[in-house]
Amino acid sequence: MQFLLAFILAAPLIGAAAALLPAPPGLKGKSPEQAVLRHGVTVTGVILAAAIALTLGFDHDTPARFQATTDISWIQALNVRIHLGIDGISLPLLLMTALLFFLCALYSYYKLPEGPSPKAFVALLLVLEAGTLATFAVLDLLLFFLAFEMVLIPMYFLIARWGGAQRQAAAWKFILFTLLGSVVMLLGLLLIGLNSGTFDMVALASDNGRELTHTTQILAVLAIGIGLAVKTPMWPLHSWLPDAHTAAPTVGSVLLAGVLLKMGTYGFVRILLPITPGGMQTFAPYLGAFAAIGIVYGSLACLALARKGNKGDLKRLIAYSSVGHMGFVLLGIATMTPTGVNGALFANIAHGLITGLLFFLVGALKDRYGTADLDTLAGATGAALYGRAPRLGAFLAFAAVASLGLPGLAGFWGEMLALFGAFDPAEGLSRPAFLTYMAIGGLGTLLTAGYLLIVVRRVCMGDPKAKSAAPAALPDIQHYEFAAWTPLVALTVLAGLWPAVLLGLTDPAVQKLLAGGNS
């Protein structure tokens, strides 16, 4: 188990270095480009297999205990250690990350985005995977910061070099927002470590903030919370996200929504809730308010983009939907209750699966029609996917109803538990305020259903009166698309019908975390 976790974190970096080397003559296949893309599929596949083996070897009877741990002294002067481990909170995120990177590598093997060298593309993809996997496995504050920052450069280049229109501006906006947030976050992490004498997250969580004054906790939550909120993204720090999603290549959008956004919410749960509980309690009502506003704001923005005549970009619409969905995650965290935090963690996984699938589908639509503009899809091209590409239309309709929280699918449970948590927040929090947030969140679910059903009606059913500029028949789902999308559909159904699989992992760990390291 210890070796498996270390291998999972090291393999992407080794694979990235190997991707830049010349391919051996016997492995080139038809071309060196094909060889390096096959290398990316192989490395991410091996990492996924190792993550599955780690999951099977995980002691599911004690998910609150850190397992597969490594603890080695690194910088003695600062008492910084290479401390690794997983529990019921981090394991699902680690597994989902490994799955999404494998599916993106598989998709890119057949549909590589236009840009420079495939070698650079695969190497950047693997470095990005190393940073995201490490974020969910490290148990030292400074290591967490390093892993958190490691993803910025590869994602910047994926957007700037392989993206679409306005990619340079979107990439710069992404890097500036996240870097500025990270600088503030580093100050908060140093404040905790230097005042408590350790950067070890397990020791700090067990201490439960007793070594930190209330003022220190408030300053730490403010500083760290800003950095995490930018990455989440929380309204009003979200403005980089729609541009980044719209400009990014398909796999970049999938990974941005499915993995990178989860790093922010994971930091709230892993660092702020157990280490600075007093500061979190002070800021929880404000976090809940921002979350509730984000839910409604994201939904209203999507409704505006979906309206006929507004020239709304479908990728941009899905990006704004992420602001609303991550609002439910933040609302669950703000309740500081086991119900709410479990709902937030469940919604994290559900959003990664469903929104990852949505971005895959929108990318496929854009490839076929040459645009993601809703008015063009429903008007000039008369999309009518049900008649032209029925399987593609069925997948899009499934992803839409999963995203709106249909009972029986993964999107339902996270949002419901977050709202239940807001109904009865932790002791010391204003119940009338959180009941208001719950009501606003409930309104957000109705608005979400509204814009997603409009999208399905316009794209899948089309405009029967429109004169179509597209051929009557379109390429339906290709074999590589089916292979990349089916696992996400299956897991969305499995998590919706059998939520205990995920909640059985997270609940004991959340109970221990909120109790200050005591079961």
Side-chain angles (χ1 to χ4, degrees):
M1 290 284 285
Q2 184 184 31
F3 169 79
L4 272 176
L5 183 58
F7 172 80
I8 288 169
L9 302 186
L13 292 177
I14 298 170
L20 299 175
L21 299 175
L27 297 178
K28 282 186 178 180
K30 295 180 181 178
S31 67
E33 289 77 13
Q34 186 188 47
V36 75
L37 292 172
R38 187 167 58 243
H39 170 80
V41 176
T42 303
V43 173
T44 54
V46 169
I47 294 167
L48 175 60
I52 293 172
L54 187 70
T55 303
L56 295 175
F58 187 81
D59 185 358
H60 292 260
D61 292 330
T62 57
R65 177 176 61 86
F66 284 103
Q67 302 177 36
T69 54
T70 299
D71 193 1
I72 304 170
S73 178
W74 184 33
I75 305 174
Q76 292 186 357
L78 294 175
N79 196 22
V80 177
R81 308 183 68 81
I82 298 177
H83 193 181
L84 311 174
I86 53 167
D87 65 351
I89 293 172
S90 53
L91 179 63
L93 290 166
L94 193 81
L95 187 60
M96 183 182 72
T97 299
L99 173 65
L100 285 175
F101 271 94
F102 171 69
L103 297 180
C104 285
L106 181 65
Y107 187 85
S108 299
Y109 179 79
Y110 294 95
K111 194 69 179 178
L112 182 69
E114 293 184 10
S117 166
K119 282 189 173 186
F121 177 83
V122 172
L124 288 169
L125 199 69
L126 291 173
V127 172
L128 184 66
E129 182 174 22
T132 51
L133 289 170
T135 301
F136 301 130
V138 297
L139 298 174
D140 183 276
L141 290 179
L142 290 187
L143 280 182
F144 176 86
F145 177 77
L146 292 176
F148 199 83
E149 294 302 286
M150 187 176 173
V151 305
L152 299 186
I153 300 303
M155 181 53 75
Y156 167 81
F157 280 110
L158 286 174
I159 296 172
R161 303 303 297 276
W162 284 271
Q166 305 295 320
R167 59 182 182 268
Q168 292 290 345
W172 274 111
K173 197 171 186 179
F174 163 75
I175 200 78
L176 288 175
F177 264 77
T178 48
L179 272 179
L180 288 173
S182 297
V183 169
V184 180
M185 184 176 77
L186 177 60
L187 296 176
L189 296 175
L190 291 173
L191 183 65
I192 290 176
L194 296 177
N195 275 275
S196 59
T198 181
F199 290 95
D200 187 85
M201 292 158 69
V202 178
L204 288 166
S206 298
D207 185 67
N208 205 215
R210 285 183 284 271
E211 292 294 323
L212 302 172
T213 65
H214 188 64
T215 302
T216 300
Q217 289 193 40
I218 288 177
L219 292 174
V221 170
L222 184 61
I224 298 170
I226 289 174
L228 297 174
V230 169
K231 186 67 72 73
T232 297
M234 180 186 77
W235 180 91
L237 302 175
H238 68 285
S239 61
W240 62 270
L241 183 73
D243 292 338
H245 270 308
T246 305
T250 297
V251 294
S253 294
V254 170
L255 296 174
L256 191 58
V259 180
L260 267 68
L261 304 190
K262 311 303 175 285
M263 296 166 64
T265 51
Y266 175 77
F268 275 103
V269 174
R270 178 64 74 203
I271 297 173
L272 295 184
L273 280 178
I275 297 175
T276 56
M280 269 298 290
Q281 189 166 54
T282 299
F283 281 104
Y286 303 102
L287 179 63
F290 284 130
I293 293 171
I295 291 169
V296 174
Y297 171 84
S299 300
L300 291 176
C302 290
L303 278 171
L305 289 169
R307 191 176 301 147
K308 187 176 181 180
N310 281 4
K311 306 295 287 184
D313 187 282
L314 192 51
K315 284 189 76 175
R316 197 173 189 86
L317 184 147
I318 303 303
Y320 272 110
S321 78
S322 291
V323 176
H325 287 305
M326 298 311 287
F328 282 101
V329 177
L330 290 172
L331 179 60
I333 294 170
T335 67
M336 299 183 69
T337 62
T339 301
V341 176
N342 275 304
L345 293 171
F346 200 104
N348 253 349
I349 300 297
H351 179 265
L353 298 173
I354 297 167
T355 308
L357 177 61
L358 277 169
F359 276 116
F360 269 135
L361 291 162
V362 175
L365 278 176
K366 192 171 183 179
D367 289 338
R368 285 159 170 78
Y369 286 103
T371 181
D373 180 77
L374 264 171
D375 287 342
T376 305
L377 287 175
T381 60
L385 281 180
Y386 288 152
R388 299 176 181 221
R391 287 185 294 173
L392 183 59
F395 266 75
L396 182 61
F398 170 85
V401 297
S403 185
L404 64 82
L406 184 73
L409 299 176
F412 170 74
W413 296 104
E415 295 180 3
M416 185 194 70
L417 290 172
L419 294 176
F420 277 2
F423 181 77
D424 189 16
E427 187 178 350
L429 298 180
S430 169
R431 190 163 188 245
F434 276 87
L435 286 174
T436 303
Y437 304 154
M438 184 190 75
I440 294 173
L443 172 63
T445 61
L446 298 177
L447 296 174
T448 301
Y451 70 75
L452 285 168
L453 291 176
I454 289 173
V455 167
V456 171
R457 177 177 59 82
R458 297 190 67 195
V459 176
C460 294
M461 300 176 185
D463 184 355
K465 298 179 182 179
K467 291 183 179 180
S468 174
L474 283 175
D476 211 335
I477 294 179
Q478 305 297 303
H479 65 281
Y480 65 91
E481 293 173 329
F482 189 79
W485 304 344
T486 303
L488 300 179
V489 172
L491 289 172
T492 299
V493 174
L494 176 65
L497 295 178
W498 197 8
V501 173
L502 185 55
L503 292 174
L505 279 174
T506 61
D507 186 53
V510 167
Q511 298 277 0
K512 182 178 180 180
L513 178 138
L514 293 176
N518 301 310
S519 297

